[in-house]
């Protein structure tokens, strides 16, 4: 199982990747989560990435490609993976292709999450995240049992710095300009499957399972 979850910010990639990767027994590899952990820990990578992330820009390709190469070298990635938020540019997709070739592996499918812009804005501006275990909630669509407190680990929930409306609009523009060209890139390789990203989390999950071929279509 080697999948890429592709889609604009707020499309639900993280929500679905966390559950499905666990169900399939492979790691969820989220470059966003890895970068936020580095920022929180104050590592050189975190200090380098923070400015880009806070203003909604992409972190430079060479930094991200090195991060992924290091992650792929860990033993759990040999079982497969769900890539969440990587690749996001053509150079990243080309680097992923080379990396997999070196490992004698190939991508099984790229799942595109299709969600309208007003819905993305509503989701991101209402998202609350757990800084400890990375669980995500939404103030109205998916609230925690106790307001402001993570159901899983009890930490205080926070709003991501890049989920303020002006930064969300920048991120949506970055997706259109820099990431949308990947749709054609993977379509030409026969790997792209579009999944409607609106509706209940459970119904979308069932459609992803079908698209990934883990249940009959
Ligand atoms: P990253 O963390 O990857 O952000 P993103 O791609 O913008 O994605 P999000 O995490 O915002 O959204 P999501 O699709 O995971 O949605 P979620 O499931 O949380 O990246 C952050 C930054 O890091 C980037 O801007 C960049 O600076 C840097 N970066 C990361 N990767 C990089 C790369 N490869 N190259 C360069 N830079 C990189 O859901 C969103 C909300 O909607 C939640 O509140 C959730 O509860 C709710 N929700 C989910 N599903 C539903 C549903 N079906 N119905 C209603 N609400 C729902």
């Amino acid at each position: 199982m080697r999948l890429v979850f592709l889609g604009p910010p707020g499309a639900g990639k993280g929500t679905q990747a966390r559950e499905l990767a666990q169900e399939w027994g492979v790691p969820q590899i989220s470059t966003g989560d890895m970068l936020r952990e580095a920022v929180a820990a104050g590592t050189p990578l975190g200090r380098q990435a923070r400015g880009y992330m806070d203003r909604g820009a992409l972190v430079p390709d060479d930094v991200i490609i090195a991060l992924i190469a290091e992650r792929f070298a860990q033993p759990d990635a040999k079982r497969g993976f769900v890539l969440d938020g990587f690749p996001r540019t053509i150079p990243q997709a080309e680097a992923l292709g080379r990396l997999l070739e070196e490992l004698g592996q190939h991508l099984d499918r790229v799942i595109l999450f299709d969600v309208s812009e007003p819905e993305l804005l509503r989701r991101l501006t209402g998202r609350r995240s757990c800084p400890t275990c990375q669980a995500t909630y939404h103030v109205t669509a998916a609230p925690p049992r106790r307001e402001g407190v993570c159901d899983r680990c009890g930490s205080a929930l926070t709003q991501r710095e890049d989920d303020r409306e002006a930064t969300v609009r920048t991120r949506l523009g970055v997706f259109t300009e820099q990431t949308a060209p990947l749709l054609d890139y993977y379509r030409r390789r026969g790997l792209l499957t579009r999944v409607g990203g609106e509706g209940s989390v459970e119904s979308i999950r069932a459609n992803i399972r079908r698209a990934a071929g883990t249940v009959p279509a």
Side-chain angles (χ1 to χ4, degrees):
M1 180 65 66
R2 294 185 181 88
L3 298 177
V4 170
F5 282 6
L6 185 64
K13 305 179 298 292
T15 300
Q16 300 292 353
R18 257 184 292 280
E19 294 295 325
L20 286 169
Q22 198 175 14
E23 176 179 316
W24 294 330
V26 297
Q28 171 209 10
I29 300 183
S30 159
T31 40
D33 285 350
M34 291 158 82
L35 291 168
R36 276 185 291 280
E37 277 163 25
V39 169
T43 66
L45 168 67
R47 287 198 294 278
Q48 190 181 5
R50 183 173 197 156
Y52 295 99
M53 296 173 78
D54 283 352
R55 64 175 189 274
L58 294 184
V59 174
D61 286 336
D62 55 340
V63 175
I64 296 290
I65 291 165
L67 186 68
I68 282 287
E70 205 177 294
R71 182 65 185 85
F72 271 22
Q74 292 176 24
D76 63 342
K78 300 210 174 4
R79 293 200 302 269
F81 48 74
V82 176
L83 285 173
D84 161 13
F86 174 89
R88 265 167 136 103
T89 63
I90 296 284
Q92 290 183 19
E94 290 171 345
L96 174 63
R98 285 193 298 274
L99 205 54
L100 290 175
E101 206 175 300
E102 281 165 23
L103 296 169
Q105 301 174 355
H106 62 271
L107 278 184
D108 293 314
R109 196 122 295 274
V110 176
I111 312 261
L112 169 68
F113 289 58
D114 199 1
V115 179
S116 70
E117 189 163 320
E119 173 68 5
L120 294 172
L121 268 171
R122 193 189 66 75
R123 287 186 187 180
L124 289 174
T125 51
R127 173 166 58 185
R128 297 294 178 269
S129 312
C130 176
T132 309
C133 74
Q134 316 288 345
T136 51
Y137 301 87
H138 187 276
V139 286
T140 54
R145 283 193 292 274
R146 242 182 83 204
E147 196 185 329
V149 178
C150 181
D151 290 347
R152 283 204 209 162
C153 72
S155 299
L157 299 177
T158 55
Q159 183 175 30
R160 268 169 51 174
E161 199 53 49
D162 59 349
D163 278 348
R164 321 262 164 200
E165 186 166 341
T167 317
V168 166
R169 289 189 187 278
T170 304
R171 289 162 64 203
L172 292 173
V174 166
F175 176 82
T176 305
E177 281 168 29
Q178 301 187 53
T179 306
L182 290 182
L183 273 52
D184 238 19
Y185 179 90
Y186 283 121
R187 196 177 287 123
R188 275 190 273 113
R189 285 160 178 77
L191 284 172
L192 193 77
T193 301
R194 176 193 162 283
V195 167
E198 294 186 33
S200 74
V201 169
E202 291 71 25
S203 67
I204 297 165
R205 189 164 298 151
N207 289 335
I208 298 171
R209 285 193 195 98
R210 271 192 287 279
T214 58
V215 293

